[in-house]
Amino acid sequence: MTAQNGSQNYTPQRDRIFNDLSKLVSFNSVHSTPELADQHEDACAWTANALGDLGLDVTRYPTVDDADTIVAKREPKNGAPTVLLYSHYDVVPANNPDAWTNSPFELTERDGRWYGRGAADCKGNLAMHLEALRLLEENGGTDLGLKVVVEGSEELGGKDGLGKLIVEKPEVFESDAILIADSGNVAAGVPTLTTSLRGGAQVKVTVETLDNQVHSGSYGGGAPDAAHALVVIANSLFDEHGRTTIDGVDTTAKWDGDAYDRESFRQDATVLEGVQLLGTADDEPADLVWARPAVTMIGFTSTPVAEAMNAVNARAEAQFNLRVPAGQSAAEIAQKMEQHIKSHTPWGAKVEVEVSGINEPFATDPSAGAVAALGECLKDAYGADKLSVVGSGGSIPLTITLQNTFPDAEIALYGVEEPMCGIHGVDESVDPTEIERIAVAEAAFLQRFGK
């Protein structure tokens, strides 16, 4: 098995990948949306049939959030270990399709990239698994046991349907190595393993200071403004350099893996010209996004500007997103953040803090047998001398469920996504060469592992 050289000329392999991904992208498979239930079901059925066509035994397991999880399996031979491959067939909404250059549900090639909703996250990874399994059979097969798990509610499920299914039916998912394709490379062409994910929580803060809004001419300057109080609270969560600060929490850790250079971070984060990154010259981007807790105000409500009038606000709300790195407890830090907010509320204002959606961070050992073996296969597929080892600021709660349920299983996180993909955004895309190379790496791993 060899990786493609990056040419945009279609090979038989690229052609079948395009056909798979084109069909997958055609399904507007958003979960939790009644009017799209048929699209979601069609994506599930197509995926189940595609795995069945590869000779796997396929079962659909209903979950508590009304989204079937597909489990396709093949039993091991000659005492070989079992490997689980993960991906998901649901997507986030395309929102305004008219904002896309082409239809988000028609896979379109432009300048060597393939565009469509889910092209990278995560239907591109699903197409990669299908191609890897075909390459595996074309090159002699494997004695490994295989379990391909494809979730239907990763993006908008809200009830951790697959997680609950794993706890209820662990025998269905039990494996010796777990390969989670829901991440990607630091840049196209750079083989990468992700070794940590942040956990976190949602923290909603409501502040009240008055029974009703009052005239700012008569009372402004003396009557406590709820929006002002909430701004004071928010400001207390950051120092003068914009770094997160929570009373009683260490927010000074350093990242010990590969660096995230400042210019790449600026470009990936689309930071405007002349706007500074947070932190000081001693704070690297990797420290701030992979090694330390971080708080982001993701929503703020008082009086909308369009409805503004000369009045002191009686009530204000904010939604904060808390991210917690591996090695720290998301539940503990969320509790300390709640205490911090209450202790920094000014003027005796009435404050209510609601913490929800707590999920713990994840870390895996890149030197572990299966993880290291996959890393070598990735390097070979890319013809690279070095493997990039990075963290991720995002969260995948499934990883912790798997780690807690199967503590002896080695878990690897990788995939076809890279910064240019623009996942969850308008004109999401994937570099097809990434799918080809990672499929080659995965197929090689499935031949080598356990020997």
Side-chain angles (χ1 to χ4, degrees):
M1 289 176 286
T2 58
Q4 302 299 319
N5 61 11
S7 168
Q8 299 309 317
N9 295 324
Y10 273 45
T11 63
Q13 292 78 19
R14 181 168 289 195
D15 191 54
R16 66 192 183 188
I17 294 170
F18 183 88
N19 289 338
D20 284 344
L21 188 54
S22 184
K23 190 61 181 178
L24 284 164
V25 164
S26 73
F27 302 117
N28 187 8
S29 52
V30 178
H31 181 255
S32 306
T33 308
E35 61 269 27
L36 297 176
D38 289 346
Q39 293 281 311
H40 188 271
E41 164 57 27
D42 289 347
C44 181
W46 186 93
T47 302
N49 289 336
L51 291 166
D53 289 345
L54 293 174
L56 299 171
D57 295 325
V58 180
T59 304
R60 290 173 54 165
Y61 290 89
T63 61
V64 296
D65 48 14
D66 299 319
D68 283 4
T69 289
I70 301 164
V71 180
K73 65 180 181 179
R74 180 184 300 161
E75 296 299 325
K77 302 175 185 176
N78 305 315
T82 294
V83 175
L84 185 153
L85 309 177
Y86 168 86
S87 188
H88 61 87
Y89 63 84
D90 66 311
V91 292
V92 298
N95 292 324
N96 179 14
D98 292 339
W100 290 62
T101 303
N102 296 96
S103 168
F105 311 113
E106 180 180 352
L107 192 66
T108 306
E109 180 171 1
R110 297 197 305 274
D111 300 322
R113 297 186 71 88
W114 294 348
Y115 289 81
R117 172 55 84 227
D121 183 21
C122 199
K123 292 175 177 179
N125 284 303
L126 177 52
M128 180 275 294
H129 282 322
L130 295 173
E131 178 63 13
L133 292 170
R134 285 190 293 249
L135 291 173
L136 180 65
E137 293 308 305
E138 292 169 0
N139 288 273
T142 181
D143 285 348
L144 290 176
L146 294 174
K147 295 182 179 180
V148 185
V149 176
V150 190
E151 185 179 4
S153 55
E154 194 275 343
E155 299 287 9
L156 300 177
K159 296 182 180 179
D160 191 21
L162 177 54
K164 290 182 172 65
L165 185 63
I166 291 169
V167 173
E168 293 170 0
K169 298 180 180 293
E171 69 281 359
V172 173
F173 305 93
E174 186 172 7
S175 308
D176 299 287
I178 299 172
L179 308 189
I180 299 177
D182 194 6
S183 183
N185 294 338
V186 295
V190 181
T192 303
L193 284 176
T194 299
T195 58
S196 72
L197 297 167
R198 289 196 287 193
Q202 299 292 339
V203 182
K204 180 180 178 182
V205 180
T206 302
V207 176
E208 294 181 315
T209 54
L210 308 170
D211 280 337
N212 297 289
Q213 287 184 322
V214 295
H215 194 281
S216 60
S218 300
Y219 303 103
D225 187 309
H228 184 185
L230 189 46
V231 168
V232 171
I233 292 169
N235 193 53
S236 75
L237 290 164
F238 308 94
D239 69 10
E240 67 273 23
H241 303 292
R243 296 173 297 191
T244 295
T245 57
I246 302 172
D247 292 346
V249 175
D250 179 13
T251 57
T252 63
K254 305 291 286 185
W255 174 251
D256 61 3
D258 289 3
Y260 197 161
D261 76 85
R262 292 175 185 273
E263 190 54 38
S264 294
F265 183 87
R266 289 188 67 90
Q267 293 178 7
D268 295 347
T270 69
V271 179
L272 296 176
E273 183 71 27
V275 178
Q276 298 177 3
L277 298 183
L278 300 183
T280 69
D282 295 327
D283 300 305
E284 295 297 327
D287 303 332
L288 296 166
V289 298
W290 298 337
R292 302 176 186 176
V295 172
T296 304
M297 183 191 290
I298 60 174
F300 184 97
T301 301
S302 59
T303 302
V305 171
E307 302 172 15
M309 55 184 177
N310 295 329
V312 180
N313 292 286
R315 177 186 174 94
E317 294 180 328
Q319 186 77 38
F320 294 94
N321 177 237
L322 170 67
R323 299 286 179 164
V324 177
Q328 296 185 330
S329 165
E332 179 181 331
I333 292 180
Q335 183 181 39
K336 290 184 177 179
M337 181 175 171
E338 179 177 358
Q339 294 169 348
H340 174 109
I341 289 167
K342 291 178 177 177
S343 66
H344 287 268
T345 299
W347 319 315
K350 307 304 181 185
V351 63
E352 179 180 333
V353 182
E354 179 183 339
V355 178
S356 63
I358 295 175
N359 63 94
E360 294 298 335
F362 165 81
T364 190
D365 181 2
S367 67
V371 185
L374 178 63
E376 289 300 314
C377 292
L378 286 167
K379 288 198 301 182
D380 291 347
Y382 281 85
D385 295 327
K386 184 178 182 297
L387 178 74
S388 186
V389 178
V390 300
S392 171
S395 302
I396 305 177
L398 172 69
T399 55
I400 290 298
T401 301
L402 290 167
Q403 197 170 60
N404 291 340
T405 307
F406 309 113
D408 294 329
E410 295 164 352
I411 302 176
L413 188 61
Y414 63 109
V416 306
E417 303 160 26
E418 38 82 19
M420 292 293 291
C421 292
I423 63 172
H424 292 199
V426 170
D427 283 350
E428 177 182 352
S429 68
V430 68
D431 183 335
T433 308
E434 296 291 278
I435 300 179
E436 292 173 315
R437 287 174 169 171
I438 294 173
V440 166
E442 185 171 281
F445 172 86
L446 294 173
Q447 283 198 314
R448 299 176 193 176
F449 183 63
K451 292 185 178 180

